[in-house]
Amino acid sequence: MQQGLVAPERMAPLLETILRANGRLKMVSVRTLPVEPLSAIGAPAPAPAAGSKTAKRELLFRHGVELTVRGSYLDMVDYMNALEALPTQLFWGKAQLEAEDYPSARLTLTLYTLSLDEKWMKL
């Protein structure tokens, strides 16, 4: 499964390359999100056991990128289709569309990949 995922260090350049191939969308912003252990997502932090000094070693980490683009709705659909058609896999976190002056809209995508490595680049 790990071979089918986008490597964390390749995620932002991959998103930008596909965006450039579209040509009609304009990038507004791109930022990396903090690395999260996969076991902590959606779960409350467990209370440490009394007298326990050993910390649980995390094995899998979620690396995220938030990308905001501006353009027409159909161009955004084409961009999202291109992301889904990649031979490597990304996980969708959130997609938020904001209408602006017709025909322009703004789309903010939150995308994730998984890795065994906690290290993550900063943009």
Side-chain angles (χ1 to χ4, degrees):
M1 180 179 162
Q2 185 179 3
Q3 292 176 350
L5 297 172
V6 175
E9 64 274 3
R10 295 241 332 107
M11 196 160 157
L14 176 68
L15 296 174
E16 291 178 44
T17 300
I18 295 171
L19 184 63
R20 270 189 248 118
N22 179 294
R24 294 177 301 269
L25 291 178
K26 303 287 187 251
M27 183 184 305
V28 175
S29 68
V30 62
R31 71 180 180 105
T32 57
L33 302 174
V35 176
E36 299 176 289
L38 197 59
S39 64
I41 297 169
S52 173
K53 292 186 180 183
T54 59
K56 179 181 172 188
R57 184 175 181 275
E58 298 294 338
L59 297 176
L60 198 56
F61 298 91
R62 180 171 85 163
H63 304 269
V65 171
E66 183 181 85
L67 174 75
T68 302
V69 296
R70 179 176 286 129
S72 77
Y73 176 78
L74 293 177
D75 291 335
M76 291 176 189
V77 170
D78 289 343
Y79 180 67
M80 293 172 74
N81 284 335
L83 290 175
E84 287 192 340
L86 289 172
T88 53
Q89 185 175 6
L90 293 170
F91 296 99
W92 296 84
K94 179 173 79 170
Q96 180 178 350
L97 182 68
E98 297 175 30
E100 295 181 336
D101 293 330
Y102 181 81
S104 184
R106 192 157 97 163
L107 175 67
T108 302
L109 293 175
T110 306
L111 302 165
Y112 296 96
T113 190
L114 302 177
S115 172
L116 299 174
D117 191 2
E118 185 176 7
K119 295 177 186 161
W120 182 224
M121 65 176 186
K122 300 288 183 201
L123 296 178

